[in-house]
mmCIF file of all heavy atoms in Angstrom:
data_model
loop_
_atom_site.group_PDB
_atom_site.id
_atom_site.type_symbol
_atom_site.label_atom_id
_atom_site.label_comp_id
_atom_site.label_asym_id
_atom_site.label_seq_id
_atom_site.Cartn_x
_atom_site.Cartn_y
_atom_site.Cartn_z
ATOM 1 N N GLY A 28 -3.361 22.038 42.548
ATOM 2 C CA GLY A 28 -2.342 23.046 42.816
ATOM 3 C C GLY A 28 -1.286 23.157 41.736
ATOM 4 O O GLY A 28 -0.565 24.147 41.675
ATOM 5 N N GLN A 29 -1.186 22.170 40.871
ATOM 6 C CA GLN A 29 -0.199 22.199 39.791
ATOM 7 C C GLN A 29 -0.598 23.251 38.760
ATOM 8 O O GLN A 29 -1.774 23.424 38.464
ATOM 9 C CB GLN A 29 -0.130 20.830 39.108
ATOM 10 C CG GLN A 29 0.790 20.775 37.920
ATOM 11 C CD GLN A 29 2.244 20.923 38.313
ATOM 12 O OE1 GLN A 29 2.676 20.338 39.284
ATOM 13 N NE2 GLN A 29 2.975 21.705 37.568
ATOM 14 N N ILE A 30 0.382 23.959 38.217
ATOM 15 C CA ILE A 30 0.111 24.943 37.177
ATOM 16 C C ILE A 30 0.366 24.292 35.829
ATOM 17 O O ILE A 30 1.395 23.659 35.614
ATOM 18 C CB ILE A 30 0.958 26.215 37.364
ATOM 19 C CG1 ILE A 30 0.568 26.874 38.683
ATOM 20 C CG2 ILE A 30 0.737 27.174 36.187
ATOM 21 C CD1 ILE A 30 1.359 28.103 39.038
ATOM 22 N N VAL A 31 -0.614 24.443 34.947
ATOM 23 C CA VAL A 31 -0.541 23.872 33.605
ATOM 24 C C VAL A 31 -0.728 24.972 32.571
ATOM 25 O O VAL A 31 -1.166 26.078 32.889
ATOM 26 C CB VAL A 31 -1.610 22.772 33.403
ATOM 27 C CG1 VAL A 31 -1.316 21.555 34.277
ATOM 28 C CG2 VAL A 31 -3.006 23.297 33.666
ATOM 29 N N SER A 32 -0.375 24.643 31.335
ATOM 30 C CA SER A 32 -0.473 25.601 30.243
ATOM 31 C C SER A 32 -1.321 25.022 29.123
ATOM 32 O O SER A 32 -1.240 23.836 28.818
ATOM 33 C CB SER A 32 0.924 25.934 29.719
ATOM 34 O OG SER A 32 0.846 26.783 28.595
ATOM 35 N N LEU A 33 -2.101 25.881 28.523
ATOM 36 C CA LEU A 33 -2.914 25.548 27.363
ATOM 37 C C LEU A 33 -2.487 26.529 26.281
ATOM 38 O O LEU A 33 -2.612 27.745 26.464
ATOM 39 C CB LEU A 33 -4.389 25.713 27.721
ATOM 40 C CG LEU A 33 -5.458 25.235 26.774
ATOM 41 C CD1 LEU A 33 -5.303 23.747 26.458
ATOM 42 C CD2 LEU A 33 -6.832 25.483 27.380
ATOM 43 N N GLU A 34 -1.942 26.024 25.182
ATOM 44 C CA GLU A 34 -1.357 26.887 24.163
ATOM 45 C C GLU A 34 -2.179 26.888 22.892
ATOM 46 O O GLU A 34 -2.696 25.854 22.476
ATOM 47 C CB GLU A 34 0.055 26.404 23.830
ATOM 48 C CG GLU A 34 0.976 26.369 25.009
ATOM 49 C CD GLU A 34 2.313 25.699 24.709
ATOM 50 O OE1 GLU A 34 2.576 25.352 23.541
ATOM 51 O OE2 GLU A 34 3.080 25.519 25.657
ATOM 52 N N HIS A 35 -2.258 28.073 22.274
ATOM 53 C CA HIS A 35 -2.891 28.187 20.961
ATOM 54 C C HIS A 35 -2.370 29.460 20.306
ATOM 55 O O HIS A 35 -2.498 30.548 20.869
ATOM 56 C CB HIS A 35 -4.410 28.222 21.082
ATOM 57 C CG HIS A 35 -5.096 28.261 19.754
ATOM 58 N ND1 HIS A 35 -5.093 27.188 18.876
ATOM 59 C CD2 HIS A 35 -5.799 29.238 19.139
ATOM 60 C CE1 HIS A 35 -5.767 27.510 17.798
ATOM 61 N NE2 HIS A 35 -6.205 28.753 17.935
ATOM 62 N N GLY A 36 -1.785 29.304 19.153
ATOM 63 C CA GLY A 36 -1.247 30.465 18.444
ATOM 64 C C GLY A 36 -0.164 31.141 19.256
ATOM 65 O O GLY A 36 0.750 30.487 19.760
ATOM 66 N N ASP A 37 -0.283 32.441 19.413
ATOM 67 C CA ASP A 37 0.719 33.211 20.155
ATOM 68 C C ASP A 37 0.326 33.431 21.613
ATOM 69 O O ASP A 37 0.893 34.274 22.295
ATOM 70 C CB ASP A 37 0.970 34.561 19.472
ATOM 71 C CG ASP A 37 -0.275 35.433 19.417
ATOM 72 O OD1 ASP A 37 -1.375 34.943 19.736
ATOM 73 O OD2 ASP A 37 -0.142 36.620 19.044
ATOM 74 N N ARG A 38 -0.660 32.655 22.096
ATOM 75 C CA ARG A 38 -1.134 32.843 23.469
ATOM 76 C C ARG A 38 -1.028 31.565 24.286
ATOM 77 O O ARG A 38 -1.211 30.470 23.775
ATOM 78 C CB ARG A 38 -2.586 33.318 23.471
ATOM 79 C CG ARG A 38 -2.720 34.706 22.884
ATOM 80 C CD ARG A 38 -4.094 35.233 23.021
ATOM 81 N NE ARG A 38 -4.984 34.557 22.075
ATOM 82 C CZ ARG A 38 -6.267 34.817 21.965
ATOM 83 N NH1 ARG A 38 -6.838 35.712 22.738
ATOM 84 N NH2 ARG A 38 -7.004 34.184 21.082
ATOM 85 N N ASN A 39 -0.723 31.753 25.563
ATOM 86 C CA ASN A 39 -0.689 30.663 26.547
ATOM 87 C C ASN A 39 -1.617 31.035 27.694
ATOM 88 O O ASN A 39 -1.515 32.129 28.241
ATOM 89 C CB ASN A 39 0.712 30.469 27.133
ATOM 90 C CG ASN A 39 1.635 29.722 26.219
ATOM 91 O OD1 ASN A 39 1.358 29.545 25.050
ATOM 92 N ND2 ASN A 39 2.753 29.287 26.768
ATOM 93 N N LEU A 40 -2.467 30.096 28.046
ATOM 94 C CA LEU A 40 -3.301 30.240 29.239
ATOM 95 C C LEU A 40 -2.636 29.420 30.330
ATOM 96 O O LEU A 40 -2.371 28.235 30.134
ATOM 97 C CB LEU A 40 -4.710 29.713 28.977
ATOM 98 C CG LEU A 40 -5.605 29.587 30.209
ATOM 99 C CD1 LEU A 40 -5.925 30.961 30.786
ATOM 100 C CD2 LEU A 40 -6.886 28.849 29.859
ATOM 101 N N TYR A 41 -2.333 30.046 31.447
ATOM 102 C CA TYR A 41 -1.780 29.343 32.601
ATOM 103 C C TYR A 41 -2.894 29.216 33.631
ATOM 104 O O TYR A 41 -3.596 30.177 33.923
ATOM 105 C CB TYR A 41 -0.592 30.103 33.190
ATOM 106 C CG TYR A 41 0.598 30.110 32.255
ATOM 107 C CD1 TYR A 41 0.859 31.191 31.434
ATOM 108 C CD2 TYR A 41 1.446 29.005 32.188
ATOM 109 C CE1 TYR A 41 1.943 31.187 30.568
ATOM 110 C CE2 TYR A 41 2.527 28.989 31.322
ATOM 111 C CZ TYR A 41 2.765 30.081 30.525
ATOM 112 O OH TYR A 41 3.834 30.063 29.658
ATOM 113 N N ALA A 42 -3.048 28.005 34.149
ATOM 114 C CA ALA A 42 -4.143 27.733 35.078
ATOM 115 C C ALA A 42 -3.685 26.771 36.161
ATOM 116 O O ALA A 42 -2.733 26.018 35.979
ATOM 117 C CB ALA A 42 -5.328 27.150 34.317
ATOM 118 N N GLU A 43 -4.393 26.803 37.267
ATOM 119 C CA GLU A 43 -4.115 25.904 38.387
ATOM 120 C C GLU A 43 -5.085 24.730 38.334
ATOM 121 O O GLU A 43 -6.293 24.917 38.184
ATOM 122 C CB GLU A 43 -4.304 26.659 39.698
ATOM 123 C CG GLU A 43 -4.103 25.796 40.924
ATOM 124 C CD GLU A 43 -4.386 26.541 42.215
ATOM 125 O OE1 GLU A 43 -4.725 27.733 42.180
ATOM 126 O OE2 GLU A 43 -4.273 25.892 43.271
ATOM 127 N N VAL A 44 -4.549 23.530 38.448
ATOM 128 C CA VAL A 44 -5.389 22.334 38.452
ATOM 129 C C VAL A 44 -6.170 22.283 39.761
ATOM 130 O O VAL A 44 -5.606 22.389 40.842
ATOM 131 C CB VAL A 44 -4.540 21.045 38.300
ATOM 132 C CG1 VAL A 44 -5.405 19.794 38.474
ATOM 133 C CG2 VAL A 44 -3.817 21.029 36.967
ATOM 134 N N ILE A 45 -7.488 22.119 39.637
ATOM 135 C CA ILE A 45 -8.348 21.936 40.794
ATOM 136 C C ILE A 45 -8.590 20.444 40.991
ATOM 137 O O ILE A 45 -8.465 19.916 42.078
ATOM 138 C CB ILE A 45 -9.698 22.678 40.621
ATOM 139 C CG1 ILE A 45 -9.469 24.167 40.363
ATOM 140 C CG2 ILE A 45 -10.599 22.438 41.820
ATOM 141 C CD1 ILE A 45 -8.701 24.897 41.450
ATOM 142 N N GLN A 46 -8.918 19.765 39.880
ATOM 143 C CA GLN A 46 -9.188 18.327 39.956
ATOM 144 C C GLN A 46 -9.043 17.717 38.572
ATOM 145 O O GLN A 46 -9.349 18.355 37.569
ATOM 146 C CB GLN A 46 -10.603 18.079 40.474
ATOM 147 C CG GLN A 46 -10.946 16.630 40.699
ATOM 148 C CD GLN A 46 -12.342 16.467 41.303
ATOM 149 O OE1 GLN A 46 -13.074 17.428 41.482
ATOM 150 N NE2 GLN A 46 -12.693 15.241 41.604
ATOM 151 N N PHE A 47 -8.568 16.465 38.538
ATOM 152 C CA PHE A 47 -8.518 15.694 37.295
ATOM 153 C C PHE A 47 -9.654 14.688 37.352
ATOM 154 O O PHE A 47 -9.744 13.896 38.280
ATOM 155 C CB PHE A 47 -7.168 14.993 37.165
ATOM 156 C CG PHE A 47 -7.065 14.104 35.960
ATOM 157 C CD1 PHE A 47 -7.299 14.602 34.689
ATOM 158 C CD2 PHE A 47 -6.748 12.770 36.102
ATOM 159 C CE1 PHE A 47 -7.207 13.776 33.571
ATOM 160 C CE2 PHE A 47 -6.646 11.940 34.993
ATOM 161 C CZ PHE A 47 -6.879 12.449 33.721
ATOM 162 N N VAL A 48 -10.544 14.734 36.364
ATOM 163 C CA VAL A 48 -11.684 13.826 36.296
ATOM 164 C C VAL A 48 -11.261 12.627 35.449
ATOM 165 O O VAL A 48 -11.347 12.657 34.222
ATOM 166 C CB VAL A 48 -12.931 14.528 35.706
ATOM 167 C CG1 VAL A 48 -14.131 13.597 35.722
ATOM 168 C CG2 VAL A 48 -13.218 15.826 36.447
ATOM 169 N N VAL A 49 -10.803 11.581 36.110
ATOM 170 C CA VAL A 49 -10.218 10.417 35.450
ATOM 171 C C VAL A 49 -11.211 9.754 34.503
ATOM 172 O O VAL A 49 -10.869 9.433 33.365
ATOM 173 C CB VAL A 49 -9.707 9.399 36.499
ATOM 174 C CG1 VAL A 49 -9.152 8.164 35.828
ATOM 175 C CG2 VAL A 49 -8.668 10.036 37.399
ATOM 176 N N SER A 50 -12.437 9.560 34.940
ATOM 177 C CA SER A 50 -13.427 8.832 34.137
ATOM 178 C C SER A 50 -13.723 9.509 32.801
ATOM 179 O O SER A 50 -14.093 8.850 31.842
ATOM 180 C CB SER A 50 -14.722 8.656 34.925
ATOM 181 O OG SER A 50 -15.280 9.923 35.207
ATOM 182 N N ARG A 51 -13.527 10.817 32.721
ATOM 183 C CA ARG A 51 -13.827 11.557 31.482
ATOM 184 C C ARG A 51 -12.588 12.159 30.855
ATOM 185 O O ARG A 51 -12.688 12.829 29.829
ATOM 186 C CB ARG A 51 -14.842 12.649 31.779
ATOM 187 C CG ARG A 51 -16.079 12.061 32.427
ATOM 188 C CD ARG A 51 -17.412 12.522 32.015
ATOM 189 N NE ARG A 51 -17.563 13.168 30.760
ATOM 190 C CZ ARG A 51 -18.277 14.264 30.571
ATOM 191 N NH1 ARG A 51 -18.869 14.837 31.588
ATOM 192 N NH2 ARG A 51 -18.413 14.782 29.384
ATOM 193 N N GLN A 52 -11.426 11.964 31.483
ATOM 194 C CA GLN A 52 -10.166 12.532 30.992
ATOM 195 C C GLN A 52 -10.266 14.051 30.812
ATOM 196 O O GLN A 52 -9.801 14.623 29.835
ATOM 197 C CB GLN A 52 -9.732 11.871 29.682
ATOM 198 C CG GLN A 52 -9.354 10.406 29.831
ATOM 199 C CD GLN A 52 -8.142 10.219 30.728
ATOM 200 O OE1 GLN A 52 -7.067 10.720 30.421
ATOM 201 N NE2 GLN A 52 -8.294 9.518 31.841
ATOM 202 N N LEU A 53 -10.895 14.683 31.806
ATOM 203 C CA LEU A 53 -11.058 16.136 31.807
ATOM 204 C C LEU A 53 -10.285 16.730 32.973
ATOM 205 O O LEU A 53 -10.092 16.083 33.998
ATOM 206 C CB LEU A 53 -12.533 16.517 31.938
ATOM 207 C CG LEU A 53 -13.446 16.134 30.783
ATOM 208 C CD1 LEU A 53 -14.895 16.417 31.138
ATOM 209 C CD2 LEU A 53 -13.053 16.881 29.525
#
Side-chain angles (χ1 to χ4, degrees):
Q29 176 68 43
I30 297 177
V31 293
S32 176
L33 189 57
E34 302 172 6
H35 183 69
D37 62 350
R38 293 186 286 180
N39 281 14
L40 170 67
Y41 292 98
E43 177 184 359
V44 173
I45 303 301
Q46 185 176 4
F47 176 56
V48 184
V49 178
S50 63
R51 305 222 20 224
Q52 293 296 299
L53 294 173

